[in-house]
């Protein structure tokens, strides 16, 4: 597994391109502004959207609530 540049954690934080990127440690947390910076350089927004270090945007992906789940007939 490749390491995150300058990640001091053991085991190292997941890379920004990894599916589990949100598991990285918090470096900065600003709930009043609605964002957090993770050790792997990902900006995580309170609406669950993300901005990756390479400029790619990950759309918000909040889990569905019970109100939005319908049973198959």
């Amino acid at each position: 597994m490749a390491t995150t540049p300058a990640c001091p954690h053991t085991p190292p934080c997941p890379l920004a391109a990894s599916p589990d990127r949100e598991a990285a440690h918090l470096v900065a947390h600003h709930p009043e502004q609605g964002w957090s910076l993770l050790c792997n350089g990902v900006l995580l927004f309170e609406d669950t959207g993300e901005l990756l270090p390479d400029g790619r945007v990950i759309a918000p992906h909040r889990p569905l609530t019970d109100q939005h789940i319908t049973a198959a007939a």
Side-chain angles (χ1 to χ4, degrees):
M1 173 172 145
T3 59
T4 302
C7 177
H9 306 108
T10 303
C13 290
L15 298 172
S18 299
D20 61 344
R21 66 183 150 260
E22 294 175 17
H25 289 258
L26 281 174
V27 174
H29 181 58
H30 294 278
E32 73 283 359
Q33 296 176 359
W35 62 272
S36 298
L37 176 63
L38 303 180
C39 185
N40 56 9
V42 173
L43 277 173
L44 182 61
F45 297 96
E46 69 180 12
D47 69 352
T48 70
E50 301 171 17
L51 179 61
L52 303 184
D54 64 5
R56 288 184 292 151
V57 174
I58 305 296
H61 49 277
R62 290 185 180 183
L64 294 176
T65 63
D66 292 345
Q67 296 171 350
H68 297 100
I69 299 173
T70 19

